[in-house]
Amino acid sequence: MTDRSEAAEQPGASGQRLTTRQTAERLGVKPETVYAYVSRGQLSSSRAPGGRGSTFDAAEVDALARRTGRREPSSATGEQAVRTGVTLIADDRYYFRGVDATELAARYSYEEVAEWLWTGELRPGVRFTAPEQAVAAARRAVGALPVHCGSTDRLRVAVVAAAAADPLRFDLSRDAVLGGARSLIPTLVAALPRVGGDEGPGACGDDGAVGGAAETGGAREPGGAADPGEPAAPGGAAASVGLARQLWPKLTARQPDEPSLATLDTALALLIDHDLAASTLAARVAASARAHPYAVVSAGLGVLEGPLHGAASGLAHRMLAEVLERGGAAPVVADHLRAGRRVPGLGHRLYTGEDPRARTLFSLLARIPQAAQALAAAHDVVATTARDATLHANVDLALAVLSVASDMPAEAGETVFAISRTAGWIAHALEEYGERPLRMRPSGHYTGPRPPQPLPPQ
């Protein structure tokens, strides 16, 4: 148990003061090492009020951490853990900068939640716009791909094209990274082809305003979408139209209704980040090497395409479609188990109960009449598997309900995941840019033949 005298940070004349224990934790060292830093002149200390222990200037401690490279703590399983102030997952809930993520997603739009994650500030009504040059370059690159390419292929190519169109991409200052992120995300949406029709003037997702600025519009009501009657921004941009409305025609030819748009917007906000997922770790490794933000996003997209990560919702989509076709979950679940496959959309290693993201989306999907059959099929899957083991629904199953009910292709959930998570990768990149460069380089444990070995024969 932490002693009360060590529990709180103490303000002082030079700014925030840390106790010895807090200083050791921030540096990733033992308390004895802290006093070694003092003796070597690398840290200065002052006596705490009342004469008990020493205190240290927080800014000086952080500067030392950047110079020396603080060691990351280990998790309960012995794996390396990475300090982050972005997302916390605890007690079957998750939080963005300390605020319940499901409550944020229910009240605010995707863009507003992204701004909160990046800056810790809420900007009601914020909208992201795409630079015309970046959109044109991304569309040309995406248009050159074979027709059979999937959405993640298109997004990876679009990121590279947008990067090539941005001569300031190597500026890693905070303002530059944020400006680039606000323009990149709508550029990715604009680069995707419309479903069931060609792109045309005035279509959702057309070229945005030059500069990638974050424009403002009306804040949405809780669980709702931006006003569909808002006028387009000058130059044909849909700057006052939320990202969910721009993305919808890239996912389905069906005309959107307001509950469906609100559900898509909430899904985007819920999926922005989820701690150190595989793609986020890849993004942080790229940022540790001081790769520019576009390259960070490319690293994340490369990992996201795996069937155990972003593509998992596609497997759940196909399963739900089969359940609807065959009239029940029992034969479909049986076929999966007979083939030695996991039933998609069930269970999550970080939650003992239902995934809070799935719970939030299911409540919204219940308000959409055309989602009733797919939602019932999802509940049937959960109930069928519960006969042998309690496996709760995860967000992939909820995304599958949305995509099946909205006549979206199986890969639609992966597209939503990729667009949404781009903001999370940027949030982690911003953190990593403030750390010691190349700190995320583990040492290999060599298991090959011991040298010296003879040269192989010709």
Side-chain angles (χ1 to χ4, degrees), residues 184-238:
L184 173 61
I185 294 172
T187 296
L188 296 181
V189 174
L192 293 173
R194 292 171 63 92
V195 174
D198 297 329
E199 297 282 357
C204 288
D206 272 1
D207 296 356
V210 176
E215 302 293 338
T216 57
R220 74 172 188 172
E221 293 300 318
D227 183 0
E230 291 175 335

Side-chain angles (χ1 to χ4, degrees), residues 268-330:
L268 287 166
L270 289 169
L271 291 167
I272 286 180
D273 191 55
H274 205 236
D275 195 36
L276 266 291
S279 60
T280 303
L281 180 60
R284 288 198 76 127
V285 170
S288 177
R290 295 303 181 260
H292 57 70
Y294 298 91
V296 168
V297 172
S298 293
L301 285 171
V303 177
L304 188 71
E305 197 172 17
L308 301 181
H309 196 10
S313 63
L315 302 177
H317 174 107
R318 295 181 180 92
M319 177 192 66
L320 277 189
E322 187 178 356
V323 170
L324 290 172
E325 180 182 351
R326 299 176 67 174

Side-chain angles (χ1 to χ4, degrees), residues 17 45 48 55 71-72 256 320 331 333 420 432 438:
R17 306 293 298 182
S45 64
T55 65
R71 294 197 303 270
E72 297 296 338
L320 277 189
V333 170
S420 170
E432 197 59 42
L438 292 174

